[in-house]
Amino acid sequence: MNYTEIIESKNGEKIPLVNKTALHSKYNPEREAESFANQFASPAFFVVVGLAGGYHISALMKKFPESNVIAAENDESDLRFLEKLPEIQKLHSEKRFQAATKSDIKRKIIETYKPAIHGDMTIATLRSWENIFPDEKKEIIKEIQSALKIVSADYSVQCHFGKIWHKNIFENLKVASEIKTDIKKTIGEIPNEKIAAIIAAGPSLNETYKKIEDEREKYFVIATDTAFSVLAERKIKADCVVSVDGQNISHSHYMHGIYSDTIFVFDLCANSSAVRKVRSGSKKIIFTENGHPLAKYASAYTGKNSFLENYTGSGTVTIAAASFAITSGFTKIEFFGADFSYIGGAPYARGTYLDTIYGTSESKFENSETKFSALMFRTELKRVGERKFTTEVLESYENSAEEFMAECGFSKTNEGKTKFFKSNGKKDSDLDFVPFSYEDFRNFYKNRIKNIPSEDSAEMTTMLPLVASLKSRILAHSKSLEYTDKL
């Protein structure tokens, strides 16, 4: 613990000390706190480095009554010591206030800060605290910046896809209500004693597909949507196909025809036109949710879940496919084409939808090769081997995939053109689901959002990606009502 004692200021307020050094004015800490708050001209989501006696935070929240504040301290022992102070006790009664430590401030920012609602973030420092703990301040700032990087990336994706996701979810919920798939029975019939072959569409699949072709009976083939057409061109039937992409281009993955007994696993955010295409030929469609607040809300609005939770990590379909395999009880998983890199000048294996799109639009001035090159050189490339390059984003996807497998109890047993993972035991999964009624959900949800929900309500949380996309809570609310009317 860093704090050593508590004394009274001249006007009777309690203030903490660190080795005889006061963190607030010994005469009038509240007046000093007003000066701290007055340096800010507009409300924001405030992260304050240095909680101390809390007077500066109380002044900040008084000046900006709609703002949220996270205050950082060194560790739990310091927080417990400061909780003796009346001012800190008052702050803890405020819903808009949180105390954090170096070890959990990153998590609390990621969980709490919603740019679509809270607007900009402002980082402030209690100068007296910084003077005593300069190194600790640097560590906390580093954690804050790391959190902001994650929140910013997530918000950027929400801005781009928020409207698409919202529409897809409503349309897919309607389909889910109509087809009434028995998830437990469908997954229960999967032969999980086999090896789950996760098929991504990386360039190495041009070679490794032959292993699946030669040893087809020992694999249960789970293809990502991008790899589905690659396998179809090679006359390899996928036992399961996983799709999470909400964009219209996803429809192009299914032009080779649909196998009626293949299991198609669609995230509720996935492109609804692709779902309709697959529905025309498949008898087995499973819908999943990956944490989108509207999908999660719809799944559990009755108090029991209607849809399978499927992890997508940083949004990659390869991780989603692995997550489904683990939920299905596989203990042996082999990845094909999961390169997370460009190999031999190619971003994908031959046979993806891009071959068709680029091939049909070739001209004398721009052929398929120049288009694929433009795709690869969108961001700076990093050499990781002979004729093998990656990017910062692709590296993050690969790290996310390997971390996910480790967290699920899988260890990698080889590192070659394919990656083999093995677990000592099957994952226990709750596969009991209640049937989903779209009409019941629509009426329930519409009744709950007749008026614009409050900022901290579950209903407003369902709209956050849409708010990010439309840049307006009012427009997001209007659009949500529109969807409940039209579908």
Side-chain angles (χ1 to χ4, degrees):
M1 186 176 68
N2 295 288
Y3 290 94
T4 51
E5 60 180 308
I6 295 172
I7 64 169
E8 281 193 5
S9 65
K10 293 294 184 181
N11 67 345
E13 302 291 353
K14 304 285 187 181
I15 57 175
L17 271 63
V18 176
N19 296 327
K20 305 300 181 182
T21 301
L23 275 293
H24 300 279
S25 168
K26 291 182 180 180
Y27 295 91
N28 193 328
E30 291 181 334
R31 184 179 297 168
E32 178 190 55
E34 289 176 5
S35 298
F36 175 88
N38 286 336
Q39 66 183 303
F40 305 104
S42 58
F45 186 99
F46 291 97
V47 178
V48 181
V49 181
L51 172 59
Y55 299 103
H56 56 308
I57 294 169
S58 295
L60 194 61
M61 295 178 74
K62 182 179 179 181
K63 182 176 181 180
F64 304 112
E66 298 302 317
S67 292
N68 289 263
V69 178
I70 296 179
E73 267 296 339
N74 289 297
D75 52 41
E76 287 292 338
S77 63
D78 281 358
L79 288 181
R80 286 195 298 271
F81 179 86
L82 295 173
E83 284 171 1
K84 301 173 187 176
L85 299 168
E87 195 68 25
I88 300 300
Q89 293 168 11
K90 282 195 291 184
L91 283 172
H92 278 299
S93 68
E94 289 275 357
K95 288 178 63 176
R96 297 178 294 114
F97 169 78
Q98 286 188 83
T101 65
K102 282 186 294 187
S103 61
D104 66 8
I105 190 167
K106 178 179 177 179
R107 174 181 61 81
K108 289 190 175 182
I109 289 173
I110 293 171
E111 291 176 352
T112 308
Y113 178 42
K114 301 176 177 66
I117 288 179
H118 298 138
D120 294 335
M121 176 186 284
T122 295
I123 302 171
T125 302
L126 180 63
R127 184 60 57 85
S128 57
W129 193 95
E130 179 184 8
N131 291 338
I132 298 171
F133 304 113
D135 293 336
E136 288 80 357
K137 183 211 169 176
K138 291 177 183 177
E139 292 174 17
I140 291 172
I141 293 294
K142 186 176 180 180
E143 290 297 303
I144 294 171
Q145 290 172 340
S146 178
L148 278 176
K149 187 175 181 180
I150 294 171
V151 172
S152 176
D154 187 45
Y155 182 65
S156 177
V157 172
Q158 290 182 29
C159 288
H160 188 74
F161 292 106
K163 186 178 177 181
I164 298 171
W165 289 338
H166 215 76
K167 178 176 179 291
N168 284 340
I169 289 171
F170 272 104
E171 292 183 346
N172 288 333
L173 286 173
K174 192 168 187 289
V175 173
S177 183
E178 293 166 353
I179 62 176
K180 302 183 185 301
T181 300
D182 187 331
I183 300 174
K184 185 174 184 177
K185 181 176 183 292
T186 303
I187 292 179
E189 293 172 348
I190 292 174
N192 56 27
E193 72 281 357
K194 292 187 175 185
I195 300 171
I198 307 299
I199 315 298
S204 67
L205 188 60
N206 289 329
E207 298 178 33
T208 56
Y209 83 91
K210 295 176 183 176
K211 185 177 182 182
I212 303 167
E213 195 174 53
D214 294 340
E215 304 174 63
R216 182 64 182 83
E217 287 306 309
K218 79 175 187 180
Y219 290 111
F220 183 83
V221 175
I222 304 177
T224 63
D225 49 6
T226 312
F228 178 58
S229 58
V230 178
L231 294 181
E233 286 214 346
R234 291 160 174 77
K235 310 301 181 187
I236 298 174
K237 179 182 174 183
D239 298 301
C240 177
V241 183
V242 178
S243 183
V244 302
D245 190 0
Q247 299 178 93
N248 287 331
I249 197 67
S250 295
H251 187 271
S252 305
H253 299 317
Y254 303 103
M255 294 297 102
H256 285 76
I258 307 301
Y259 306 114
S260 62
D261 57 344
T262 293
I263 301 170
F264 288 87
V265 180
F266 283 102
D267 189 272
L268 283 167
C269 293
N271 179 251
S272 55
S273 62
V275 170
R276 290 192 294 271
K277 167 69 177 175
V278 169
R279 184 187 179 186
S280 66
S282 175
K283 299 176 182 177
K284 298 179 180 179
I285 297 178
I286 293 176
F287 284 102
T288 64
E289 59 91 0
N290 70 359
H292 186 289
L294 176 58
K296 203 170 191 67
Y297 182 97
S299 178
Y301 84 100
T302 62
K304 296 182 179 180
N305 289 325
S306 295
F307 301 106
L308 181 70
E309 183 179 357
N310 202 43
Y311 184 71
T312 63
S314 48
T316 60
V317 66
T318 302
I319 296 177
S323 179
F324 182 76
I326 293 169
T327 299
S328 300
F330 287 94
T331 58
K332 293 172 287 186
I333 298 177
E334 189 168 1
F335 289 83
F336 294 75
D339 304 316
F340 301 106
S341 57
Y342 305 136
I343 301 174
Y348 293 106
R350 292 185 296 274
T352 69
Y353 69 102
L354 287 175
D355 284 343
T356 302
I357 293 173
Y358 289 171
T360 55
S361 61
E362 281 186 314
S363 68
K364 292 181 179 180
F365 303 101
E366 191 177 43
N367 58 22
S368 295
E369 186 176 346
T370 58
K371 291 180 180 180
F372 276 119
S373 294
L375 178 66
M376 288 187 289
F377 284 94
R378 288 176 299 175
T379 56
E380 184 178 352
L381 298 183
K382 174 183 175 183
R383 184 187 292 273
V384 289
E386 186 177 353
R387 302 192 70 201
K388 184 176 181 180
F389 298 85
T390 189
T391 67
E392 183 179 343
V393 172
L394 290 176
E395 278 188 322
S396 71
Y397 289 163
E398 184 170 23
N399 292 336
S400 182
E402 302 226 349
E403 287 169 5
F404 170 70
M405 295 302 292
E407 288 169 3
C408 292
F410 282 76
S411 55
K412 191 193 299 182
T413 61
N414 82 310
E415 178 71 61
K417 291 184 177 179
T418 68
K419 300 173 184 177
F420 193 91
F421 290 79
K422 190 173 182 180
S423 171
N424 292 326
K426 294 180 180 179
K427 176 185 176 183
D428 292 327
S429 300
D430 181 8
L431 298 178
D432 289 322
F433 301 95
V434 297
F436 181 80
S437 167
Y438 181 73
E439 285 301 315
D440 289 348
F441 169 72
R442 180 174 66 175
N443 293 335
F444 175 86
Y445 187 67
K446 188 173 182 178
N447 183 60
R448 300 282 291 190
I449 64 166
K450 283 181 179 177
N451 301 310
I452 299 179
S454 62
E455 175 185 310
D456 57 352
S457 68
E459 287 71 32
M460 178 50 67
T461 299
T462 67
M463 301 179 196
L464 287 180
L466 186 60
V467 174
S469 182
L470 299 177
K471 304 293 189 296
S472 167
R473 289 174 63 185
I474 295 173
L475 288 178
H477 175 252
S478 175
K479 184 62 69 173
S480 294
L481 286 174
E482 179 186 324
Y483 288 145
T484 59
D485 283 334
K486 285 187 175 180
L487 297 175

